[in-house]
Amino acid sequence: MKILVTGGAGFIGSAFVRMLVTQTGHRVVNLDKLTYAGNLENLTSVESSDRYRFVEGDICDARLVEALVAEEQPDAFVHFAAESHVDRSILSPEPVVKTNVFGTFTLLEAARKFKTPRFVHVSTDEVYGSLEAPREATEDYPLNASSPYSASKAGSDLLARSYFVTYKMPVLITRASNNYGPYQFPEKLIPLMIANALDGKRLPVYGDGLQVRDWLYVDDHCRGILAVLDQGRAGEIYNIGGNRSLPNLEVVKKVLALTGRPESLIESVTDRPGHDRRYALSSEKLTRETGWRPEMDFETGLARTIAWYQANSQWVERVCSGAYRDYYQRNYGHRTALR
Ligand code: NAD
Ligand code: TYD
């Protein structure tokens, strides 16, 4: 197959592109705008493959998207491109709504026009909002997004589904839990805590740190998406979870233990507005239909991730230069220590 991947220079998209090029015979066209989160360094291991092509461009640019689809005639879209961070969506919602909603619309329109045989839309468990324990969202659970990020993902998720219902387009939707692993931009919890711990800096934990997330190793997520691409039923939604729920404070303490840093580095700071308390989902449907299940256990995955950040300190230094420092100041500068 020839697969048009969007956002393939980001964290999960680049893991998916590396997996496609090295472990399958598929051809890959990667369309990415190279925002602060897109980094071609993530793809050096595959850039010289004759089954890989990179195109720099914005998914909101209908003319560019149409021309690319007309030229390449892909067999499938796998759509990762997004503004993917809740805190940034709180600071500046506009690019989040544009890319996540309008960009998805642009891609769906191109796929409709050129009758692309498959369209996988990569969504998130955040569309379900916060769930009381011990409840787990199945795919029919109501959408109840809280942040501009998750609301924009819920919007694009519903839009993607509408193209199946209305136009009978072969759309499939995946909703995954929190990913972690190598190459993740140090704005999300785990890479930010690793980068700060390795640097001897304070670890800013929002509020009481008892918010719960389900952790999924990035390669397990990519295998889940591949299973949906290959075996999923058109029009269906598939949850992809790591089956490992943990409160943030426990995750942060594990990072400190594995990096040999003291817990006194933890700083409890002003909470995120609208902070969802708990995400939880069941991936039983994907397992039942495709045999997929998460393989990486959290402690091994976390140790492997930390080892990657230690071995790739120059990657961290480069992505944490100028613009990152401005973001850090905007997001954390006004937060006060709670104790
Ligand atoms: P990321 O922020 O690391 O990467 C996003 C990529 O999209 C970057 O390469 C960026 O340059 C590109 N991009 C952004 N705007 C674009 C535009 N207008 N046109 C073209 N390219 C653009 O994100 P990620 O963490 O790899 O997430 C990928 C997808 O997976 C997103 O759709 C996200 O909502 C979803 N998801 C992420 C998680 C997670 O834990 N990170 C969990 C579930 C679902
Ligand atoms: P994050 O990685 O931003 O993912 P999401 O908000 O999409 O789940 O955050 C994961 C959890 O960690 C979330 O409950 C917010 C919390 N968090 C902190 O406590 N401190 C931080 O500096 C960050 C980035 C996140």
Side-chain angles (χ1 to χ4, degrees), residues 84-87 124-126 149 178-179 184 187-193 203-207 209 211-213 215 248 252 269 271-272 275-277 279 327-328 331-332:
S84 69
H85 188 34
V86 173
D87 290 315
T124 161
D125 66 350
E126 299 196 25
Y149 164 70
N178 284 62
N179 282 221
Q184 188 170 25
E187 62 184 357
K188 309 276 169 41
L189 179 73
I190 288 184
L192 186 128
M193 297 301 160
L203 277 56
V205 172
Y206 297 160
Q211 304 84 2
V212 171
R213 297 293 184 265
W215 292 100
N248 294 336
V252 172
V269 299
D271 208 350
R272 172 191 279 173
H275 198 168
D276 281 333
R277 196 73 183 159
Y279 297 141
Y327 162 73
Y328 206 91
N331 194 49
Y332 295 97

Coordinates of all heavy atoms in Angstrom, one line a residue, residues 84-87 124-126 149 178-179 184 187-193 203-207 209 211-213 215 248 252 269 271-272 275-277 279 327-328 331-332, ligand 2:
S84 N -1.1 19.1 19.6 CA -1.4 18.0 20.5 C -1.3 18.2 22.0 O -1.4 17.3 22.7 CB -0.4 16.9 20.1 OG 0.9 17.2 20.5
H85 N -1.1 19.5 22.4 CA -0.8 19.7 23.8 C -1.9 20.5 24.5 O -2.2 21.6 24.1 CB 0.6 20.3 24.0 CG 1.0 20.4 25.4 ND1 0.7 19.4 26.3 CD2 1.8 21.3 26.0 CE1 1.3 19.7 27.5 NE2 1.9 20.9 27.3
V86 N -2.4 20.0 25.6 CA -3.5 20.6 26.4 C -3.0 22.0 26.9 O -3.7 23.0 26.7 CB -3.9 19.7 27.6 CG1 -4.9 20.5 28.5 CG2 -4.6 18.5 27.0
D87 N -1.8 22.1 27.5 CA -1.4 23.4 28.1 C -1.3 24.5 27.0 O -1.7 25.6 27.2 CB -0.1 23.2 28.8 CG -0.3 22.4 30.1 OD1 -1.2 22.7 30.8 OD2 0.6 21.5 30.3
T124 N -8.2 10.5 20.4 CA -7.6 10.3 21.8 C -8.7 10.0 22.8 O -9.9 10.3 22.6 CB -6.9 11.7 22.2 OG1 -6.8 11.7 23.6 CG2 -7.8 12.9 21.8
D125 N -8.3 9.3 23.9 CA -9.2 9.0 25.0 C -9.7 10.3 25.7 O -10.7 10.3 26.4 CB -8.6 8.1 26.0 CG -7.5 8.6 26.8 OD1 -7.0 9.7 26.5 OD2 -7.0 8.0 27.8
E126 N -9.0 11.5 25.4 CA -9.5 12.7 26.1 C -10.8 13.2 25.6 O -11.4 14.0 26.3 CB -8.4 13.8 25.9 CG -7.1 13.4 26.4 CD -6.1 14.5 26.6 OE1 -6.5 15.7 26.7 OE2 -4.9 14.2 26.6
Y149 N -8.0 21.7 23.5 CA -7.4 20.5 22.7 C -8.4 19.4 22.6 O -8.7 18.9 21.5 CB -6.1 20.0 23.4 CG -5.7 18.7 22.9 CD1 -5.2 18.5 21.6 CD2 -5.8 17.5 23.7 CE1 -4.8 17.3 21.2 CE2 -5.4 16.3 23.3 CZ -4.9 16.2 22.0 OH -4.6 14.9 21.5
N178 N -2.7 8.1 27.0 CA -1.4 8.9 27.0 C -0.2 8.0 26.5 O 0.1 7.0 27.1 CB -1.1 9.4 28.4 CG -2.0 10.6 28.8 OD1 -3.3 10.4 28.8 ND2 -1.5 11.7 29.0
N179 N 0.5 8.5 25.5 CA 1.6 7.8 25.0 C 2.9 8.3 25.7 O 3.0 9.5 26.1 CB 1.8 8.2 23.5 CG 0.9 7.4 22.6 OD1 1.3 6.9 21.6 ND2 -0.4 7.2 23.0
Q184 N 9.6 12.1 22.3 CA 8.5 12.9 22.7 C 8.9 14.3 23.1 O 9.9 14.4 23.9 CB 7.7 12.2 23.8 CG 6.3 12.9 24.1 CD 5.4 12.1 25.0 OE1 5.9 11.3 25.8 NE2 4.1 12.4 24.9
E187 N 7.3 18.7 26.6 CA 6.2 19.6 27.1 C 5.2 18.7 27.8 O 4.4 19.1 28.6 CB 5.5 20.3 25.9 CG 4.9 19.4 24.9 CD 4.3 20.0 23.7 OE1 4.3 21.2 23.6 OE2 3.8 19.3 22.8
K188 N 5.1 17.4 27.4 CA 4.2 16.4 28.0 C 4.8 15.9 29.3 O 6.0 16.0 29.5 CB 3.9 15.3 27.1 CG 3.5 15.7 25.6 CD 2.0 16.0 25.5 CE 1.6 16.7 24.2 NZ 2.2 16.3 23.0
L189 N 4.0 15.3 30.2 CA 4.4 15.0 31.5 C 5.7 14.2 31.6 O 6.7 14.6 32.2 CB 3.3 14.2 32.3 CG 3.7 13.8 33.7 CD1 3.7 14.9 34.6 CD2 2.8 12.7 34.2
I190 N 5.8 13.0 30.9 CA 6.9 12.1 31.1 C 8.2 12.7 30.6 O 9.2 12.8 31.3 CB 6.6 10.7 30.6 CG1 5.6 10.1 31.6 CG2 7.9 9.9 30.5 CD1 5.3 8.6 31.3
P191 N 8.3 13.2 29.3 CA 9.5 13.7 28.8 C 10.0 15.0 29.6 O 11.2 15.3 29.7 CB 9.3 14.0 27.3 CG 7.8 14.0 27.2 CD 7.3 13.2 28.2
L192 N 9.0 15.8 30.0 CA 9.3 17.0 30.7 C 10.0 16.7 32.1 O 11.0 17.3 32.5 CB 8.1 17.9 30.9 CG 8.4 19.3 31.5 CD1 7.8 20.4 30.7 CD2 7.9 19.4 33.0
M193 N 9.4 15.7 32.7 CA 9.9 15.3 34.0 C 11.3 14.7 33.9 O 12.2 14.9 34.7 CB 9.0 14.4 34.7 CG 7.6 15.0 35.1 SD 7.8 16.5 36.1 CE 6.2 17.3 35.8
L203 N 10.5 19.7 39.4 CA 9.5 18.9 38.6 C 8.1 19.5 39.0 O 7.6 19.2 40.1 CB 9.6 17.4 38.9 CG 10.7 16.7 38.1 CD1 12.1 17.2 38.3 CD2 10.7 15.2 38.5
P204 N 7.5 20.3 38.1 CA 6.3 21.0 38.4 C 5.1 20.0 38.3 O 4.6 19.7 37.2 CB 6.2 22.1 37.4 CG 7.0 21.6 36.2 CD 8.0 20.6 36.7
V205 N 4.5 19.6 39.4 CA 3.4 18.7 39.4 C 2.1 19.6 39.7 O 2.0 20.3 40.7 CB 3.5 17.7 40.5 CG1 2.2 16.9 40.7 CG2 4.7 16.7 40.2
Y206 N 1.1 19.5 38.8 CA -0.1 20.3 38.9 C -1.0 19.8 40.0 O -1.3 18.7 40.1 CB -0.9 20.3 37.6 CG -0.2 20.8 36.4 CD1 -0.7 20.5 35.1 CD2 0.9 21.7 36.4 CE1 -0.1 21.0 33.9 CE2 1.5 22.2 35.3 CZ 1.0 21.8 34.1 OH 1.6 22.3 32.9
G207 N -1.4 20.8 40.9 CA -2.3 20.5 42.0 C -1.8 19.4 42.9 O -0.6 19.4 43.3
G209 N -1.5 16.2 42.2 CA -0.8 15.2 41.5 C -1.5 13.8 41.5 O -0.9 12.8 41.1
Q211 N -4.2 13.1 39.8 CA -4.9 12.9 38.5 C -4.4 11.6 37.9 O -3.2 11.3 38.0 CB -4.6 14.0 37.5 CG -5.0 15.4 38.1 CD -3.9 16.0 38.9 OE1 -2.8 15.5 39.0 NE2 -4.1 17.2 39.4
V212 N -5.3 10.8 37.3 CA -4.9 9.5 36.8 C -4.9 9.5 35.3 O -5.8 10.0 34.6 CB -5.8 8.4 37.3 CG1 -5.6 7.1 36.7 CG2 -5.7 8.3 38.8
R213 N -3.8 8.9 34.7 CA -3.7 8.7 33.2 C -3.4 7.2 33.0 O -2.7 6.6 33.8 CB -2.6 9.6 32.6 CG -2.9 11.1 32.8 CD -4.1 11.5 31.9 NE -4.4 13.0 32.0 CZ -5.2 13.6 32.8 NH1 -5.9 12.9 33.7 NH2 -5.4 14.9 32.7
W215 N -1.2 4.8 30.7 CA 0.1 5.0 29.9 C 0.3 3.9 28.9 O 0.3 2.7 29.2 CB 1.3 5.1 30.9 CG 1.2 6.4 31.6 CD1 0.7 6.5 32.9 CD2 1.4 7.7 31.2 NE1 0.7 7.8 33.3 CE2 1.1 8.6 32.2 CE3 1.9 8.2 29.9 CZ2 1.2 10.0 32.1 CZ3 2.0 9.6 29.8 CH2 1.7 10.4 30.9
N248 N -0.3 10.8 38.6 CA 0.8 11.5 38.1 C 2.0 11.5 39.1 O 3.2 11.3 38.7 CB 0.5 13.0 37.8 CG -0.5 13.1 36.6 OD1 -0.6 12.2 35.8 ND2 -1.2 14.2 36.6
V252 N 5.9 10.5 38.4 CA 7.0 11.4 38.6 C 8.0 10.8 39.6 O 9.3 10.9 39.4 CB 6.5 12.8 39.2 CG1 7.6 13.7 39.6 CG2 5.6 13.4 38.1
V269 N 2.6 22.7 42.0 CA 2.3 24.1 41.6 C 0.8 24.2 41.2 O 0.1 23.2 41.1 CB 3.2 24.4 40.3 CG1 4.6 24.4 40.7 CG2 2.8 23.5 39.1
D271 N -2.7 24.4 39.8 CA -3.3 23.4 38.9 C -3.6 24.0 37.5 O -3.7 25.2 37.3 CB -4.6 22.8 39.5 CG -4.9 21.4 39.0 OD1 -4.2 20.9 38.1 OD2 -5.8 20.8 39.6
R272 N -3.7 23.1 36.5 CA -4.2 23.4 35.1 C -5.7 23.7 35.2 O -6.4 22.9 35.8 CB -3.9 22.2 34.3 CG -4.4 22.3 32.9 CD -4.3 20.9 32.2 NE -3.0 20.6 31.6 CZ -2.7 19.4 31.1 NH1 -3.5 18.4 31.1 NH2 -1.5 19.3 30.6
H275 N -8.7 20.9 34.6 CA -7.9 19.7 34.6 C -8.8 18.4 34.8 O -9.4 18.3 35.8 CB -6.9 19.8 35.7 CG -5.8 18.8 35.6 ND1 -4.6 19.0 36.4 CD2 -5.5 17.8 34.8 CE1 -3.8 18.0 36.1 NE2 -4.3 17.3 35.1
D276 N -8.8 17.5 33.8 CA -9.5 16.3 33.9 C -8.8 15.4 34.9 O -7.6 15.2 34.9 CB -9.5 15.5 32.5 CG -10.5 16.1 31.6 OD1 -11.5 16.7 32.0 OD2 -10.3 16.0 30.4
R277 N -9.6 14.8 35.8 CA -9.1 14.1 37.0 C -8.6 12.7 36.5 O -7.6 12.2 37.0 CB -10.3 13.9 38.0 CG -9.8 13.5 39.4 CD -9.1 14.7 40.1 NE -8.7 14.2 41.4 CZ -7.7 14.8 42.1 NH1 -7.1 15.9 41.6 NH2 -7.3 14.4 43.2
Y279 N -8.6 9.7 33.2 CA -8.9 9.0 31.9 C -8.8 7.5 32.1 O -7.8 7.0 32.7 CB -8.0 9.5 30.8 CG -8.0 11.0 30.5 CD1 -6.8 11.6 30.2 CD2 -9.2 11.7 30.5 CE1 -6.8 13.0 29.9 CE2 -9.2 13.0 30.1 CZ -8.0 13.7 29.9 OH -8.0 15.0 29.5
Y327 N 8.1 29.2 25.8 CA 6.9 28.5 26.2 C 7.0 28.1 27.7 O 6.0 28.3 28.4 CB 6.8 27.2 25.4 CG 5.9 26.2 26.0 CD1 4.5 26.4 26.0 CD2 6.4 25.1 26.7 CE1 3.6 25.5 26.7 CE2 5.5 24.2 27.4 CZ 4.2 24.4 27.4 OH 3.3 23.6 28.1
Y328 N 8.1 27.7 28.1 CA 8.3 27.3 29.5 C 7.9 28.4 30.5 O 7.2 28.3 31.5 CB 9.7 26.8 29.8 CG 9.8 25.8 30.9 CD1 9.7 24.4 30.7 CD2 9.9 26.2 32.3 CE1 9.7 23.5 31.7 CE2 10.0 25.3 33.3 CZ 9.9 24.0 33.0 OH 9.9 23.1 34.1
N331 N 4.1 29.0 30.3 CA 3.3 28.0 31.0 C 3.5 27.9 32.5 O 2.6 27.6 33.2 CB 3.4 26.7 30.3 CG 2.3 25.7 30.7 OD1 1.1 26.0 30.7 ND2 2.7 24.5 31.2
Y332 N 4.8 28.1 32.9 CA 5.2 27.8 34.3 C 5.5 29.0 35.1 O 5.5 29.0 36.3 CB 6.3 26.8 34.3 CG 5.9 25.4 33.8 CD1 6.3 25.1 32.4 CD2 5.2 24.5 34.5 CE1 5.9 23.9 31.9 CE2 4.9 23.3 34.0 CZ 5.2 23.0 32.7 OH 4.8 21.7 32.2
Ligands
TYD2 P1 0.1 15.8 29.6 O1 1.4 15.0 29.3 O2 0.1 17.2 29.2 O3 -1.1 15.0 28.9 P2 -2.7 15.2 29.0 O4 -3.0 16.5 29.7 O5 -3.0 15.2 27.6 O6 -3.2 14.0 29.7 O7 -0.2 15.7 31.1 C1 -0.4 14.4 31.7 C2 -0.8 14.7 33.2 O8 0.3 15.3 33.9 C3 -2.0 15.6 33.3 O9 -2.8 15.2 34.4 C4 -1.3 17.0 33.6 C5 0.0 16.5 34.4 N1 1.1 17.5 34.3 C6 1.7 18.0 35.4 O10 1.3 17.7 36.6 N2 2.8 18.8 35.2 C7 3.3 19.2 34.0 O11 4.3 19.9 33.9 C8 2.6 18.6 32.9 C9 3.2 18.9 31.5 C10 1.6 17.7 33.0

